[in-house]
Amino acid sequence: MKDKNFAQARQVLSDAIHQHPEAAADARLYRYKLDALNELIGNENRKIYLNSKPDTLSFFKYIYELYETGLQCDSVEKLALAARQAEGKKAVPKLRGGVGQTLLPYRKNLFNAGKYYYTKKSYADAFRFFEMYLKTKTSDLFYDTKGYSMLADPDDKVEASVLTTLSAYGSSNYSGVMDYLSESLKDESLRPQLLEIGTKTTAELSDTTQMVQFLEQGFEVYPDVEYFYVTLVKYYNEKGQYDLALQKVQRMTSLYPQRRDCWYMAGTELVLLNRYDEALQSFQQCVDIKADDAEAWASIGNIYLHQAHVAYENFNLPKSNPSYTKQKNAITQLYRQACNAFEQSRKFDEVNTALWLEGLRETYFKLNRGKSLNSLEKYK
């Protein structure tokens, strides 16, 4: 230190603290290391000021280590004071105030270092700096002997928490996300994106209960954000909870009655619940909104075809029964309606034969439309 070889002093002190328990338990050695780091930061600061080949990464590295060393120094001193108190001796911190004063000038640098790494997409490094900035906002190091805070940080806890959360997520540090997400969610402008991050994070952590809570919270406040709606419906469908999925979809159809996709999803959920008449109404809404909706027309055809199958299976009347002709005609009418829907689907999307080909084959056969049935032979 006297020779002003601060890099060597830092190294010697780091080695001693790392290798020897006695050194690691001596708060004064951390104070010496802090002084060496402070001088190294001063050297880099001068280079930046003079534009004389400054090393930005070293500058930031030293600042982080300065804070880390300051916290270690205070922690070691606390342990020593606790031991003195246990022995009934007077225990007053001697180093804390000076350590805090050494760290104070670099608050803004600490935060800016996080921003620097964030813009470089070095999210793990960004997280370290942002977390250190937030963590030390309430550190004992920054309170004077009268209990007043010495910090002059701006009112940036929410902003810093957002950046810390985003950095944690960007580096797949999911526990880090959860540490700062609650405070981050106070940012109204980014709340939808943060709720989405919370959902994905809890999914990674296998916390399904919390994941669904984030989704429900997001959908309740931001139904226009597709992610919450679609993910919730998918989740409930995978669980076989079609009634819950339908609740979400029906809210969307009431909020956005002109959105074809909402009506289509409603129809799909109603089919899964075997509520075919209501499903028909939903798919009909699709074609009312978009007349050339081949997919919705195919769904209409499939429902009529299903109803024809059910009616046929239950059709066991003898020809002598007065209701025979009426029920047979009703089945034929269902096949006609199915056929018409499949023909509409084919008209609007002839390339996608999976939508209508098998349906048309069956309905043409049932309706004795041999010529039309033969015309389908060209399709594979």
Side-chain angles (χ1 to χ4, degrees), residues 58-234:
S58 291
F59 178 63
F60 290 151
K61 176 184 175 183
Y62 291 145
I63 287 175
Y64 185 86
E65 192 174 347
L66 184 83
Y67 266 75
E68 190 175 47
T69 304
L71 291 174
Q72 290 169 335
C73 181
D74 192 54
S75 177
V76 170
E77 187 178 39
K78 280 180 184 176
L79 290 173
L81 292 174
R84 286 182 62 84
Q85 283 180 329
E87 296 172 0
K89 298 177 182 178
K90 188 176 180 180
V92 179
K94 296 179 180 179
L95 301 177
R96 178 177 294 165
V99 170
Q101 291 292 345
T102 302
L103 302 185
L104 267 177
Y106 304 110
R107 294 295 295 168
K108 190 172 182 180
N109 298 119
L110 188 67
F111 191 57
N112 286 340
K115 287 184 173 180
Y116 171 84
Y117 283 113
Y118 186 83
T119 58
K120 296 291 183 182
K121 298 185 179 180
S122 298
Y123 298 121
D125 288 319
F127 175 80
R128 289 193 310 121
F129 281 90
F130 287 138
E131 183 179 49
M132 181 66 80
Y133 179 77
L134 279 172
K135 188 167 62 175
T136 49
K137 275 183 178 289
T138 55
S139 173
D140 291 339
L141 291 169
F142 298 125
Y143 286 88
D144 62 23
T145 54
K146 294 182 179 180
Y148 294 108
S149 175
M150 298 185 292
L151 285 182
D153 291 354
D155 183 14
D156 61 354
K157 189 176 179 183
V158 173
E159 178 194 359
S161 295
V162 168
L163 288 168
T164 309
T165 300
L166 294 175
S167 299
Y169 186 72
S171 56
S172 300
N173 178 2
Y174 301 119
S175 61
V177 171
M178 298 310 295
D179 286 340
Y180 296 96
L181 182 60
S182 179
E183 185 69 25
S184 301
L185 288 171
K186 294 177 182 178
D187 186 328
E188 292 291 336
S189 64
L190 292 174
R191 204 156 180 260
Q193 295 92 320
L194 290 165
L195 283 169
E196 181 175 338
I197 284 174
T199 300
K200 292 176 178 177
T201 296
T202 46
E204 291 288 344
L205 295 171
S206 300
D207 186 350
T208 306
T209 301
Q210 183 66 69
M211 180 195 78
V212 174
Q213 287 177 359
F214 279 132
L215 284 172
E216 290 282 9
Q217 189 178 353
F219 180 63
E220 179 64 29
V221 184
Y222 309 105
D224 54 321
V225 177
E226 186 176 283
Y227 173 79
F228 301 120
Y229 162 55
V230 171
T231 308
L232 261 181
V233 171
K234 181 181 178 183

Side-chain angles (χ1 to χ4, degrees), residues 302 305 342 353-365 373 376 379-380:
N302 284 321
L305 198 57
F342 287 128
T353 57
L355 289 176
W356 49 263
L357 183 55
E358 291 305 315
L360 275 184
R361 278 183 176 148
E362 182 177 348
T363 54
Y364 284 158
F365 176 77
L373 184 60
L376 298 179
Y379 298 102
K380 301 296 183 183

Side-chain angles (χ1 to χ4, degrees), residues 334-363:
L334 287 171
Y335 277 116
R336 287 198 186 105
Q337 289 172 300
C339 183
N340 176 65
F342 287 128
E343 286 180 331
Q344 291 295 312
S345 180
R346 177 189 182 183
K347 173 183 175 182
F348 297 121
D349 191 355
E350 189 170 4
V351 175
N352 190 1
T353 57
L355 289 176
W356 49 263
L357 183 55
E358 291 305 315
L360 275 184
R361 278 183 176 148
E362 182 177 348
T363 54

